[in-house]
Each structure stands twice: as structure tokens, then as C-alpha cells.
Amino acid sequence: MNIAMIGSGHIGGTLGKAWATKSHRVTFGTRDPQSERIRALLESIGPNAAATSVKEAAAFGEIVVLAVPGTEIERVLEEAGDLRRKIVINATMLFDGRSADSEVRRLANGARVVRAFHTSTWEALANPRFGGANATLFMSGEDEEAKQTVFRLGAEVGFDMVDVGGTEAMAAIEKALFSFWTALSPRFGRDYAIRVLRREETQPS
């Protein structure tokens, strides 16, 4: 699968590397594809990774992953151009009271937006195994086929994916996780994760 990573920091770089090791073709969209940092990232990943402009990466990707600071959402979506019918994975966060989910849906009009890969630290994204269990990541969206694709991508690189449904359910999850973070991070730092235990498997295979 062709995956465009819009963002090459901790989250974008970590996810891009994970998917490239599973033989997906990953292209990072960045303002400076020739920078020393990007060259070092590509060298660490190997032949399944490349870098180009945001617009060219978005055109390349069957999946477009937004992994940029919240302040960059509008800029990169404007640069990306037409995303109609593409699956857009929104891993961004906003800390100014606005909903990152609503903003991406508004600006990426016509895209099949799935909210995912934002409910864990990048350290847990880099290594989702904690003893005998793997970390749970929560996802939401309105397009069932798009969610199934994202579910498989997450499971493929070791995550326990939980589809919580739509936007309102994710907002409640995000609020709860913020409370967990406030309480647990002073004790465990950043390298911890949440695992949901359930009696019956209700997620798509």
C-alpha cells in the first residue's frame, strides 16, 4: 500500500518506519525533503521510504496520515490539495479548545477521515508490546470501509485497535485519556500504555 506521511517527527517518523518494515511504500511530505534530518530518517528506514513535497506525497498516497502539530493542520491540508475519497488518518492534536477532528473534517472536505494514532505516546507507538500484551489504540470515523483499512494497518504493526464509533465517542475517550495522563505520567513517564480487556472480541478481523 502507498502511504503518505504528512509529518516526519516522532509520531510520523515512528509510524512511517513501522509500516515500511511491513513492505508498504511510505513517502514523507515535508517542506525540505533534502534536509539532513530527513535524509537521516530515510537512511534509518531503508528502501521503502522516500521524501518529497506535501502535495506530491498526498498525490502518491492511497492513505494520507496527518501527523503534524495542530497549528500546522490548515497549512498542510492546503498544500496537500485534493484529498477527495482518500483515506486520511488524523493523528493531530489541538490544545486551544478546538476539535482537531472537526478541523480536519472541515478542511479535508470529501476525504474519508479516520481519527487514530493520537491516543498514545510516540514511545508506545515505537514499541507497542508491554510484557505479554500490546497497547490499545482507539479509532473513530464515519466510513466503515476506511476504518477497517486503518484497523488492519494498526494491527499489522502490533497494536490492539479498538473502534469506538463516531466523533462524540472519541471525544469522550480523549477526555478520559487526558485524565489518565494527568494522573499516571508523573509516576510512569511517557513510556506506558492503556490496554482494554474484554470478554469477547468485537472488532473486525
Side-chain angles (χ1 to χ4, degrees), residues 3-8 26-35 38 42 50-61 63-66 68 75-81 83:
I3 301 174
M5 298 297 309
I6 312 302
S8 53
V26 176
T27 293
F28 291 92
T30 178
R31 281 185 283 190
D32 187 3
Q34 302 301 321
S35 71
I38 294 296
L42 297 181
T52 186
S53 69
V54 169
K55 187 175 183 64
E56 290 172 327
F60 163 86
I63 310 288
V64 178
V65 183
L66 295 181
V68 297
R75 178 187 67 80
V76 298
L77 286 176
E78 184 176 343
E79 289 184 23
L83 296 173

Side-chain angles (χ1 to χ4, degrees), residues 10-96:
H10 286 313
I11 292 177
T14 297
L15 289 173
K17 185 173 185 177
W19 285 321
T21 61
K22 298 297 182 180
S23 299
H24 296 290
R25 296 174 62 206
V26 176
T27 293
F28 291 92
T30 178
R31 281 185 283 190
D32 187 3
Q34 302 301 321
S35 71
E36 184 175 336
R37 183 180 67 84
I38 294 296
R39 290 201 302 270
L41 175 63
L42 297 181
E43 185 176 344
S44 73
I45 295 175
N48 284 334
T52 186
S53 69
V54 169
K55 187 175 183 64
E56 290 172 327
F60 163 86
E62 301 165 77
I63 310 288
V64 178
V65 183
L66 295 181
V68 297
T71 54
E72 296 290 292
I73 291 173
E74 186 167 3
R75 178 187 67 80
V76 298
L77 286 176
E78 184 176 343
E79 289 184 23
D82 188 1
L83 296 173
R84 282 176 296 182
R85 302 307 303 158
K86 286 183 181 283
I87 297 175
V88 172
I89 300 176
N90 177 14
T92 65
M93 295 291 288
L94 280 170
F95 300 99
D96 59 4

Side-chain angles (χ1 to χ4, degrees), residues 127-142:
N127 182 8
R129 294 297 298 178
F130 289 80
N134 53 336
T136 294
L137 290 183
F138 301 95
M139 54 178 281
S140 65
E142 311 305 324

